[in-house]
Amino acid sequence: MNLKLSTPKGEENATFSIPYDLNTRTKKVNGHCVITDNEIRIYLDDDITEKYPLDYFDEYICEQLIGCSMLVGRKGDQRKFLCAFTQTYFIRYAELCKILEFYKRTGELFADDDQSEPSCTKCGLPLDSETICPFCAKKSEVFLKLIKRAKPYKWLFALALLCTILTEVIWIIQPRLQRTIIDDFVIPRNKDLHSFLIICGMLVGIILLAWIFEVVNMKASFKMALSIGKDLRQEVFAKVQKLSMSSVSKRTTGGLIRRVSNDAMKLQEFISQNGKELIVRLFSVTMLSILIFVMNPKLALFVLAPIPIVIFFNVKLFNVMSIRYGRVWRMSTRHSTVLHDTLNGIRVVKSYGTEKYAIDQHEKASMNWAKSIRNADIVWLLTMPFSRYILSIGSYLVLLIGGSMVLDQTLTLGQLVQYTTYVAMIYGPLGWLIELPRILADTTVSVSRVFEILDEDTDVADSENALDIDIKGDITFDDVYFGYKVYNPVLKGISCEIKQGEMIGIVGHSGVGKSTMINLILRLYDCTQGRILIDGIDIRNLSQDSLRTQVGVVLQETFLFDGSVYDNIRYAKEDSSFEEIISAAKIANAHDFIVKLPEGYNTRVGDKGYSLSGGERQRIAIARAILHDPKILILDEATASLDTQTERNIQEALSRLIEGRTTIAIAHRLSTLSNADKLIVLDKGRLAEMGPHEELMRNGGVYYKLVMAQRQTTKMKEVID
Amino acid sequence: MNINLENEIFELDELHILDPEKLNFSLEESGFLTLDDGEQVYSKVNLTRLLPFKTKTEYISVSYEDDEEQFHEIGVIRDINELQGEQFEIADNFLKFKYYMPEITRIYSIRDNMRGYIFVKVDTNAGKKTLCIRDWYSNFKLISPTELYVVDADGNKYTCPDIRSLDKKSKNNIDMFV
C-alpha cells in the first residue's frame, strides 16, 4: 500500500507521508502526517505544528468515528489527538498504525509495499480487484457478455436465424408475384390460365415453405431459450453458493432470489426472442431498403428520410428508459424482500398480532412497484405515438407521389402496389426497432444485476493447488488477526494450539470474537493477518470442500430444510444407508421421539422444522453431525436455547458425539464447558488465558471473574424466583 | 428482600435522563470529551446520536470506556439545545465532527455503467466531488421522504437533508435513483 502519497514542502526525510483533510471543527484543511526514521511530524499546510519521537507514544490508534476518523497517540492513560481525516485515508492510516506497532515491538520501520495499487490509465480511478475500470467501462460490454452465453448453442441459433431469414425472404418475394398477377394478368385481362395457375401455385408453395421454416425456427428457438435460461439460473445460483459470507450477507435474500429467477428468465427471453429478432429485423430493413432504392430511389428517400430522426430520438429515449427500469427493478426487489421477510417471520407476525402492519408494508411495497412501472411506461406511451407518426409520414408521401406517377404513367399500378407493400413491410421491422429502447432498457437492468454476481470475485477462493487431505484434527492459530471490517480487528494476535481429540471451550463476553474464531476455522472468512493451520497445513492451501466435509457444526439455531426427518439427517451424507441414519439418530437421542411421530422418519419437518420442538430440532441436527462423522466438531451454543432437562439429554448425546474428535465448543453457560480439556479465554479480541478449568480458577484472572459473575447472577435469579 | 433486589435491578436498567443544567463538558487532548456532572468527572466521554437519521440534537447518549475498555453509559440527554451556551457548542461540535457528513447542495450528473457502481458528480458544502458509489441501491437512498443519504466506496458519508430544496436538474437526476 502506498503510504507516501505526497509530502509537505521542505520535508525531505519522510519515510511515510499521508495527507489529512479535516480539523476537529469539521473544516477542510490541508495537512500531512509524516513519519521519519525517528519522528512523527504533523504538518498544517507546509508548517510543522507538532512533532514527537516515534517511541514517545505507547500506541498509535486509528480511531474510526462515524463520518471521519482520527489518529491518536496513547501514552499511559493519556491520549493525544494527532490529526483527523475523511474515510478516504482511513485504510492508509490504519496500515500506518500497524507499521508503527511493529516498530514499537521490534524497532524496525518496515513497510510491506509489495501490493501494487493498479489504477485506470484513462481516468486514474483505483481498480482494487476489478480488471476493467468501472467508470470507463461501456454499458454495451455487459451485453456482449450476455451474447457470448449463447455460444454453446450457436448451431441452434444459426438454424433459427437461417429459418427466420428465409421466411423473411419469402415474404419479400410474395409482392413480386402479386405484381406479376396485377400487371400481367388482371390489367391486360390475360386469360392464360396455365401460367396464372403456376404463379398461384408458387404463391401457395412459398407460403407453405414459410410455414415449415417458421415451425423449425420456433422449435430451435424454444430449445435454445430453455437451455440458456437453465444455464444462467444454474450459474447464478452456483456463484451465490461460492461467494463468501460477507458477499452474500450484503444482499437481501429476496434480491438474490430475484436475480436467480426473474432476471435470468428475462435474459433467457431476450436472447431467444429479441436477440434473434434484432438480427432478422435489421436484415429485413436492410434488404427492403435496398429493394425500394433499386426500384425507385426518389420514393425511397421519402420513406427512409425520417429514420435517422427516429434513431436519434430512440437513443436518447434508451437512457431515460434504462434509468426508469432500474427503478422498477429496485421497487420489485424491495417488494420481494418485504414478501420474503414477512413470510419468513410469519410466526413473529402472528404472535405479535401485527398482520395489519405486515399487510400495510406489503401494500406499500406493491404500490411503489406498480407506480415505478407506471412511471417507466408513461414516458414510453407518451413518446411512442410521436415516433410512429414521424416514421409513417414516409408512407403518405409515397402514396401521394407514387399515385401521381401512376396517373402520369411513369409507374405502373402493379409497381405501386409492390412498392407500397414493401413500404408497409419495412414499417413492420422498423416499428419493432422503435420498441427496442424499452426492451433493451428493461433487459440491461437484469443483465447488469446478473453479471454483477457472475463477475464478482470470491474473496475466499481455493488456491491453485488446493490440497484434499484426510484431516486428523490438530489446529493451530498463529498470530491471527481478523476483522469483519478489515481495519477494525475483532481478533488480535491469537496464537494457540489445539491437539487432535481435545475438547476445547472458548469463553468470553459477548462480541469478544468467539464465533469469529469458529468462522475462521470453517474458512467462511480468511484471516487478515497470521494463519490458521490444520495438521500443519495453512487452511488457505486446503480445498474448501475437503475442509468443510471434515468439519461438523452444531449451532444454537438449527436450520432444517423443508423435507422429512430422514432427508434432514441424510443431508450430511447423501449415500448413507437407512441403518446408518437410525444409528446416528439413536446416538443423538433422537430415535425415540422420531418413533413416536405418526409417520416416523418420513414425517415432514415443515418450513424450517417448525413442526418440531427446539430440543427435537437440535437432536436432528446432532444426528446429522454424527452421520457427517467429522474429524473436527464445532458446537456453537448448541444447547443454549434449551431447558435444563432437554439440555441434559442433548449433553448426553453430545458427549457420545465428541468422543475421539477435536471439539471446539462455545457456551455462554460456563458450567457446560467444565469437562473441557482446555479453555480459551478471550478478552477484547485477545487471548487472555488458556488452560484447564481448575488452573484458570486458581489463576484468578479473566475466567475466574467470568465464573464468579455468572454464579452471582444465578444466585440473584434464584433469590428472585 | 426479594422486592429490594428487584428494585435494584430495575434501577440499573432504567433509562437515565441527564439534567442538562448539571453537565459540564470540556474537550480533551484526545479529541474526546471530559464530563463533570457535579458528582463525578468522566474522561474519554463519547456522545452518540441514538436516532442519527431522525434528529441531530435529540436523544444523545453520553458514555465512556473504563480502563478495561468496558462501555458504560452515563445517561441520555433529551436535547443538547437545553445545554448552556458554551456547553452546547462543545457537545454540538463534537457530534458534528463525529458524524462529519458534507451536505450535498447540487447533483450535476449520475453515471450508471451497469456494473453495480454509480458515479455521482456533486457539489457539497465541502467542495465539488465525483462520488464513486458501490452497491448503490443500498448506499444511495432516501432515509426519510426528504433526506438523501449517500455512502461512497471509501466509506465517506454525505447527506442532503431536504431534497426538495435542490434545483430542478438535481431533483431530476436523483429522482430515478432513489
Side-chain angles (χ1 to χ4, degrees):
Chain A
M1 186 177 288
N2 184 5
L3 297 181
K4 198 174 174 181
L5 292 180
S6 61
T7 46
K9 269 185 197 160
E11 175 57 74
E12 286 168 1
N13 299 318
T15 308
F16 306 115
S17 175
I18 310 176
Y20 68 87
D21 52 1
L22 212 59
N23 69 13
T24 50
R25 293 263 165 181
T26 62
K27 291 279 174 291
K28 278 277 178 186
V29 292
N30 179 20
H32 283 86
C33 171
V34 173
I35 307 292
T36 66
D37 287 348
N38 51 14
E39 274 187 339
I40 175 164
R41 297 173 181 170
I42 306 298
Y43 280 82
L44 182 60
D45 296 320
D46 291 321
D47 303 319
I48 296 181
T49 54
E50 286 173 272
K51 63 177 180 179
Y52 303 92
L54 270 188
D55 46 14
Y56 176 77
F57 293 108
D58 300 331
E59 190 182 3
Y60 291 90
I61 303 160
C62 186
E63 193 99 46
Q64 190 170 31
L65 303 172
I66 310 295
C68 61
S69 299
M70 55 186 185
L71 182 68
V72 175
R74 184 183 65 77
K75 186 173 175 60
D77 293 343
Q78 299 301 311
R79 285 167 181 243
K80 175 84 183 82
F81 166 86
L82 295 170
C83 62
F85 39 88
T86 55
Q87 311 295 24
T88 308
Y89 299 110
F90 175 73
I91 288 179
R92 292 180 204 277
Y93 274 97
E95 186 68 24
L96 184 68
C97 285
K98 273 165 64 183
I99 289 168
L100 293 174
E101 191 193 324
F102 187 76
Y103 173 81
K104 293 291 295 179
R105 276 191 282 147
T106 63
E108 281 181 61
L109 203 56
F110 168 76
D112 174 17
D113 50 6
D114 282 352
Q115 289 169 306
S116 59
E117 291 180 58
S119 59
C120 174
T121 48
K122 200 170 161 192
C123 70
L125 188 85
L127 289 179
D128 295 331
S129 57
E130 306 278 338
T131 46
I132 301 165
C133 173
F135 184 75
C136 299
K138 288 179 183 159
K139 281 181 194 176
S140 54
E141 281 172 10
V142 279
F143 263 100
L144 287 176
K145 281 186 194 172
L146 177 65
I147 291 163
K148 282 180 190 162
R149 297 273 144 182
K151 207 176 170 186
Y153 308 101
K154 58 184 176 207
W155 295 118
L156 273 178
F157 184 75
L159 179 65
L161 188 66
L162 182 72
C163 289
T164 320
I165 289 173
L166 288 173
T167 314
E168 290 294 313
V169 170
I170 285 170
W171 296 130
I172 292 171
I173 295 170
Q174 196 196 9
R176 181 67 188 82
L177 295 175
Q178 281 173 347
R179 174 184 157 184
T180 310
I181 290 172
I182 293 170
D183 284 352
D184 297 350
F185 293 92
V186 179
I187 292 177
R189 297 173 190 243
N190 186 343
K191 291 184 179 164
D192 181 358
L193 192 62
H194 179 69
S195 303
F196 181 74
L197 283 177
I198 287 174
I199 291 174
C200 286
M202 280 168 75
L203 259 176
V204 173
I206 59 168
I207 289 170
L208 203 66
L209 208 57
W211 178 75
I212 293 168
F213 286 141
E214 193 59 33
V215 169
V216 176
N217 162 33
M218 278 173 69
K219 279 194 91 171
S221 298
F222 193 59
K223 195 173 173 188
M224 184 181 70
L226 287 180
S227 307
I228 291 174
K230 183 202 75 191
D231 289 357
L232 266 174
R233 271 193 300 278
Q234 186 56 24
E235 217 170 313
V236 177
F237 183 75
K239 187 62 193 273
V240 171
Q241 298 297 310
K242 281 181 189 161
L243 285 176
S244 68
M245 279 306 291
S246 47
S247 293
V248 174
S249 49
K250 74 183 177 194
R251 299 184 170 95
T252 61
T253 314
L256 286 172
I257 290 173
R258 195 186 146 79
R259 287 178 213 228
V260 175
S261 52
N262 299 29
D263 289 334
M265 175 65 87
K266 202 165 272 179
L267 302 195
Q268 166 185 324
E269 281 170 9
F270 177 78
I271 288 188
S272 62
Q273 296 168 15
N274 303 314
K276 187 194 69 191
E277 281 295 300
L278 178 64
I279 297 172
V280 172
R281 305 285 179 165
L282 281 174
F283 172 79
S284 301
V285 170
T286 318
M287 289 294 290
L288 289 163
S289 301
I290 294 169
L291 258 175
I292 58 172
F293 247 105
V294 171
M295 283 178 70
N296 194 319
K298 190 181 158 193
L299 281 181
L301 272 178
F302 286 110
V303 177
L304 302 177
I307 292 178
I309 304 168
V310 174
I311 288 175
F312 173 78
F313 185 67
N314 272 15
V315 169
K316 292 283 164 203
L317 199 60
F318 167 73
N319 291 329
V320 176
M321 291 305 294
S322 58
I323 294 171
R324 283 174 187 258
Y325 274 112
R327 188 165 205 208
V328 172
W329 189 92
R330 281 201 321 283
M331 291 305 150
S332 84
T333 303
R334 203 168 291 169
H335 172 259
S336 305
T337 304
V338 168
L339 200 65
H340 184 269
D341 238 26
T342 314
L343 294 179
N344 230 1
I346 194 76
R347 277 163 69 99
V348 181
V349 172
K350 291 211 166 291
S351 47
Y352 278 82
T354 50
E355 289 92 339
K356 191 177 175 312
Y357 175 74
I359 292 167
D360 288 348
Q361 288 289 98
H362 179 263
E363 191 186 356
K364 198 174 152 194
S366 188
M367 201 174 70
N368 285 339
W369 185 13
K371 207 168 145 188
S372 67
I373 296 173
R374 201 169 58 229
N375 281 343
D377 284 347
I378 198 101
V379 175
W380 184 252
L381 296 172
L382 287 175
T383 51
M384 193 55 345
F386 175 72
S387 291
R388 285 194 184 280
Y389 176 71
I390 296 274
L391 202 63
S392 60
I393 284 176
S395 64
Y396 299 119
L397 291 173
V398 167
L399 277 177
L400 182 73
I401 296 161
S404 57
M405 285 169 86
V406 172
L407 292 174
D408 295 345
Q409 293 187 336
T410 49
L411 197 72
T412 66
L413 183 62
Q415 279 174 323
L416 183 64
V417 169
Q418 184 190 1
Y419 205 86
T420 49
T421 311
Y422 283 147
V423 170
M425 279 173 74
I426 210 171
Y427 285 131
L430 276 179
W432 187 88
L433 288 172
I434 288 177
E435 294 272 339
L436 204 57
R438 185 192 208 177
I439 298 165
L440 279 180
D442 194 12
T443 313
T444 308
V445 178
S446 293
V447 173
S448 57
R449 301 298 173 255
V450 164
F451 281 99
E452 215 178 274
I453 298 267
L454 291 179
D455 292 346
E456 187 165 329
D457 283 329
T458 312
D459 42 14
V460 179
D462 274 345
S463 63
E464 252 180 53
N465 301 311
L467 301 168
D468 287 323
I469 60 161
D470 274 332
I471 293 175
K472 292 189 190 101
D474 289 330
I475 304 171
T476 309
F477 277 73
D478 182 14
D479 197 25
V480 170
Y481 283 81
F482 174 77
Y484 293 97
K485 285 178 186 166
V486 182
Y487 288 97
N488 192 7
V490 178
L491 295 178
K492 300 169 199 164
I494 304 286
S495 289
C496 61
E497 275 191 34
I498 299 165
K499 294 267 177 243
Q500 179 187 350
E502 270 185 340
M503 156 81 178
I504 299 292
I506 306 179
V507 298
H509 291 290
S510 297
V512 80
K514 302 186 291 287
S515 295
T516 306
M517 272 186 87
I518 278 170
N519 288 342
L520 293 183
I521 295 173
L522 280 165
R523 218 188 150 207
L524 296 180
Y525 304 89
D526 271 337
C527 45
T528 40
Q529 200 180 309
R531 56 194 188 142
I532 296 169
L533 310 171
I534 288 184
D535 298 341
I537 302 167
D538 191 326
I539 57 168
R540 284 171 290 204
N541 296 329
L542 292 177
S543 77
Q544 291 181 54
D545 190 47
S546 164
L547 174 71
R548 291 186 194 145
T549 50
Q550 297 180 76
V551 180
V553 191
V554 183
L555 303 168
Q556 179 179 1
E557 271 299 308
T558 307
F559 190 90
L560 297 186
F561 294 96
D562 185 25
S564 64
V565 170
Y566 174 86
D567 294 334
N568 269 288
I569 299 177
R570 201 180 65 130
Y571 187 79
K573 192 182 162 202
E574 275 186 36
D575 57 351
S576 51
S577 68
F578 184 47
E579 284 176 21
E580 282 177 296
I581 289 170
I582 297 178
S583 303
K586 271 191 163 290
I587 299 170
N589 272 347
H591 181 72
D592 291 359
F593 89 78
I594 297 171
V595 169
K596 286 178 197 160
L597 296 170
E599 286 157 10
Y601 279 81
N602 286 129
T603 307
R604 284 185 77 84
V605 299
D607 187 28
K608 297 195 198 83
Y610 279 143
S611 63
L612 304 174
S613 74
E616 289 168 343
R617 285 203 297 271
Q618 200 65 329
R619 276 177 271 179
I620 288 181
I622 294 169
R624 189 150 75 183
I626 291 168
L627 196 65
H628 190 48
D629 192 21
K631 305 289 168 42
I632 297 169
L633 179 67
I634 289 168
L635 307 171
D636 189 354
E637 299 278 14
T639 57
S641 57
L642 306 173
D643 62 78
T644 325
Q645 183 54 43
T646 317
E647 188 189 3
R648 215 164 282 155
N649 286 338
I650 288 177
Q651 282 295 353
E652 197 184 300
L654 285 176
S655 61
R656 290 179 209 159
L657 175 60
I658 63 180
E659 264 173 21
R661 300 175 212 275
T662 308
T663 305
I664 300 166
I666 296 176
H668 202 63
R669 266 178 248 167
L670 298 173
S671 54
T672 12
L673 297 175
S674 54
N675 58 343
D677 297 314
K678 268 192 277 183
L679 293 160
I680 291 174
V681 187
L682 295 180
D683 189 33
K684 294 171 209 154
R686 295 191 185 273
L687 196 150
E689 296 171 295
M690 185 170 175
H693 168 78
E694 292 77 16
E695 187 186 313
L696 297 179
M697 288 301 282
R698 275 198 304 277
N699 290 350
V702 179
Y703 180 71
Y704 174 82
K705 283 182 196 161
L706 275 172
V707 173
M708 286 303 134
Q710 204 162 82
R711 282 186 190 165
Q712 190 67 26
T713 316
T714 317
K715 270 185 197 166
M716 282 166 78
K717 270 187 186 165
E718 282 167 8
V719 175
I720 294 166
D721 294 342
Chain B
M1 172 69 182
N2 290 2
I3 294 163
N4 288 343
L5 251 178
E6 273 182 326
N7 281 346
E8 199 176 316
I9 291 167
F10 180 72
E11 270 176 28
L12 277 173
D13 293 342
E14 198 177 31
L15 170 65
H16 186 201
I17 298 289
L18 299 170
D19 179 356
E21 288 187 2
K22 291 182 183 166
L23 304 178
N24 193 5
F25 289 105
S26 53
L27 186 63
E28 281 178 11
E29 275 208 321
S30 67
F32 287 94
L33 303 174
T34 296
L35 171 67
D36 182 351
D37 67 355
E39 291 173 12
Q40 204 176 329
V41 178
Y42 303 92
S43 56
K44 212 197 165 209
V45 168
N46 197 357
L47 303 182
T48 306
R49 288 175 181 155
L50 294 178
L51 296 163
F53 292 156
K54 207 173 171 190
T55 164
K56 308 250 181 294
T57 60
E58 291 171 295
Y59 292 99
I60 305 298
S61 166
V62 184
S63 60
Y64 71 98
E65 275 186 5
D66 63 16
D67 296 340
E68 301 282 306
E69 291 181 27
Q70 293 295 318
F71 171 88
H72 298 278
E73 186 177 70
I74 302 164
V76 173
I77 306 173
R78 273 214 178 95
D79 191 343
I80 56 165
N81 281 308
E82 291 167 15
L83 291 169
Q84 305 300 314
E86 193 200 0
Q87 288 301 302
F88 168 77
E89 289 282 309
I90 295 171
D92 192 46
N93 278 338
F94 179 84
L95 284 168
K96 280 181 180 160
F97 174 61
K98 180 177 174 181
Y99 292 87
Y100 175 68
M101 239 175 264
E103 282 184 17
I104 294 170
T105 51
R106 199 162 185 182
I107 296 175
Y108 295 104
S109 64
I110 302 181
R111 178 168 169 171
D112 180 4
N113 281 358
M114 301 292 173
R115 305 179 82 86
Y117 294 85
I118 55 170
F119 294 87
V120 188
K121 204 171 166 189
V122 293
D123 204 349
T124 70
N125 57 5
K128 278 187 187 175
K129 211 177 171 187
T130 299
L131 310 176
C132 168
I133 299 161
R134 198 175 288 178
D135 296 326
W136 63 267
Y137 15 88
S138 40
N139 290 324
F140 188 86
K141 61 183 177 189
L142 288 179
I143 49 171
S144 78
T146 54
E147 187 172 0
L148 177 70
Y149 178 68
V150 181
V151 185
D152 74 8
D154 290 325
N156 292 308
K157 296 173 174 72
Y158 301 84
T159 177
C160 178
D162 188 354
I163 52 168
R164 291 170 304 183
S165 64
L166 292 173
D167 62 293
K168 201 178 169 196
K169 192 186 170 199
S170 300
K171 273 192 262 190
N172 285 342
N173 279 333
I174 59 168
D175 191 34
M176 286 303 119
F177 287 86
V178 293

